[in-house]
Amino acid sequence: MSARLQAIKWERPHLTILNQLALPHSSEYIEISDARAGHYAISSMQTRGAPAIAIVAALSLAAELSTMHFDTSASPRTHIHMQLDYLATSRPTAVNLFDAITKLKHAVDTTITDNGQVVRDTYVQMAERMLDADVKDNMAIGEHGAQLIGNDKVRVLTHCNTGTLATAGYGTALGIVRSLHAQGLLDRVYFTETRPYNQGARLTAFELLTEEIPAQLVCDSAVSALLRSDPMIRAIVVGADRVAANGDTANKIGTYQLAITAQYHGCQFIVAAPTTSVDLYTKSGADIVIEERDEAEILVQTGFERQGVLEGRLERVEVQVAPVGTRAWNPSFDVTPAELISAIVTERGVVVKQSGASEFDMAGHMRGE
């Protein structure tokens, strides 16, 4: 993980996050003191990315609990369950959040004690372990992915933001890019702007510039032309908010069309995700609930006034792009069918389809087969 860029800072009992709505021109940290502040940070997209959402949710409640005193074991359990259920309503698509909530509830429910402080401390320690584990898992994903893609200088393309800003550190798809770069195998990474929230143009650009990784921004609509014109592009690498049991993958809107053009141009399409993003209870992508966001995110563009940025004076402005009265459809995610995915990389290794199969056996991967 880069020492220069840290999106989540935890020093018990203090949680601070990098406000991603202010990036890339201002590095503003916000203190998250309780579950309500954590919920707002997630739903407003001050923090985003499936792994980061889970970690911020878990630690926001840890910060809250750290300032509370409980006499009996029943009262912290009741409070923890209530607040975790509330945090679950922040964003519906990313499975990491619900996986973390299930594990945290299980940890406090199975702690045998009558001491409320022990139950509280059990929760806080579990949340802290999740933070540490996410960084280790992401670094493993980076290594497995780099081995899959690179044996000589390559170019890759990525979508949205899947790096340090979207995780506890290092990143998933962008972690693979980092590993390729560290091994001297990356010639260049292309990254999409990722409309309508511009996570690529704002956040991925910020990370890549910070770490001096050779990169080039492209319009979402230019990827097919790029694949045709640049034969050095070995793979499109994306993250995931939820991977179904058959490998169907929900990710940032625009991922599906990237998979289609990758297949047409004979380019590998690789999903990078920790096993916490794998949902074996969801049989296929047809069962994944897709979040739909405010249509204003498409109709209105928000940013910083250019001259002010050049002068070091930040002034946030809104620009009305579409005519007033225009209606818009704004799904935050889409689902890429497993048949379009070349491989799924987790911290445990690379998952590929059996010969002749159109779907993945994610359950087998989770069992270690």
Side-chain angles (χ1 to χ4, degrees):
M1 180 173 61
S2 169
R4 293 176 291 178
L5 183 60
Q6 192 174 3
I8 301 171
K9 296 181 179 181
W10 170 254
E11 294 181 8
R12 192 192 301 185
H14 300 291
L15 171 65
T16 54
I17 64 168
L18 189 59
N19 179 10
Q20 297 189 29
L21 296 178
L23 289 174
H25 305 299
S26 174
S27 296
E28 168 191 316
Y29 280 91
I30 303 169
E31 182 156 5
I32 305 297
S33 58
D34 54 29
R36 182 167 295 277
H39 187 286
Y40 178 78
I42 294 166
S43 60
S44 68
M45 293 181 67
Q46 289 176 334
T47 191
R48 24 72 48 210
I53 287 170
I55 299 301
V56 169
L59 290 176
S60 69
L61 182 50
E64 177 179 312
L65 291 170
S66 295
T67 63
M68 301 176 70
H69 180 81
F70 300 97
D71 293 323
T72 68
S73 61
S75 56
R77 287 191 179 105
T78 300
H79 184 79
I80 288 167
H81 274 257
M82 179 181 68
Q83 294 297 72
L84 287 176
D85 288 342
Y86 168 65
L87 286 162
T89 66
S90 57
R91 294 195 75 184
T93 303
V95 72
N96 307 60
L97 173 61
F98 301 96
D99 178 76
I101 287 172
T102 298
K103 290 174 179 174
L104 289 163
K105 285 182 176 180
H106 178 75
V108 299
D109 289 347
T110 56
T111 299
I112 302 174
T113 181
D114 293 325
N115 189 321
Q117 298 301 93
V118 171
V119 174
R120 180 198 69 175
D121 292 346
T122 296
Y123 176 92
V124 173
Q125 291 162 11
M126 180 71 173
E128 289 172 339
R129 287 197 296 272
M130 287 180 170
L131 175 68
D132 294 337
D134 188 61
V135 177
K136 293 176 182 176
D137 289 347
N138 292 336
M139 295 184 76
I141 289 170
E143 290 302 309
H144 293 311
Q147 290 173 17
L148 175 65
I149 297 170
N151 49 25
D152 54 9
K153 282 274 188 178
V154 298
R155 293 179 181 175
V156 297
L157 181 141
T158 192
H159 184 56
C160 196
N161 173 260
T162 57
T164 295
L165 297 173
T167 64
Y170 203 75
T172 54
L174 210 57
I176 293 176
V177 171
R178 278 189 170 91
S179 292
L180 286 168
H181 178 62
Q183 295 172 31
L185 296 174
L186 182 71
D187 180 79
R188 181 185 306 169
V189 56
Y190 294 102
F191 61 101
T192 60
E193 56 185 346
T194 321
R195 289 273 294 133
Y197 232 72
N198 294 312
Q199 290 98 325
R202 293 188 301 110
L203 307 180
T204 298
F206 178 73
E207 288 201 42
L208 295 171
L209 282 171
T210 298
E211 302 209 11
E212 299 179 349
I213 295 174
Q216 196 164 3
L217 173 66
V218 297
C219 293
D220 293 353
S221 53
V223 172
S224 293
L226 176 65
L227 291 179
R228 180 178 286 270
S229 65
D230 189 345
M232 280 189 67
I233 299 175
R234 183 77 55 82
I236 294 177
V237 188
V238 301
D241 285 80
R242 188 180 297 245
V243 179
N246 71 339
D248 289 352
T249 296
N251 192 49
K252 179 54 56 186
I253 192 70
T255 303
Y256 183 16
Q257 65 193 30
L258 292 179
I260 293 171
T261 195
Q263 185 176 78
Y264 180 82
H265 289 92
C267 180
Q268 290 187 86
F269 187 85
I270 298 168
V271 171
T275 52
T276 52
S277 295
V278 178
D279 180 8
L280 298 182
Y281 295 102
T282 298
K283 293 182 179 180
S284 73
D287 301 320
I288 297 176
V289 176
I290 298 298
E291 174 188 5
E292 292 192 19
R293 295 184 62 82
D294 193 325
E295 60 185 15
E297 293 177 356
I298 294 178
L299 305 175
V300 177
Q301 286 288 286
T302 302
F304 292 96
E305 192 269 328
R306 182 174 183 272
Q307 191 59 38
V309 171
L310 296 176
E311 296 173 358
R313 171 180 46 82
L314 298 182
E315 179 182 349
R316 184 180 290 276
V317 295
E318 290 187 346
V319 177
Q320 180 72 37
V321 177
V324 174
T326 302
R327 299 305 308 274
W329 180 52
N330 187 21
S332 194
F333 306 94
D334 56 29
V335 176
T336 300
E339 61 191 279
L340 296 177
I341 299 171
S342 307
I344 299 174
V345 182
T346 78
E347 73 276 12
R348 300 183 184 184
V350 178
V351 193
V352 295
K353 288 167 278 194
Q354 296 292 326
S355 179
S358 61
E359 298 181 338
F360 293 86
D361 178 14
M362 296 309 299
H365 179 68
M366 298 293 279
R367 290 192 300 266
E369 297 175 0

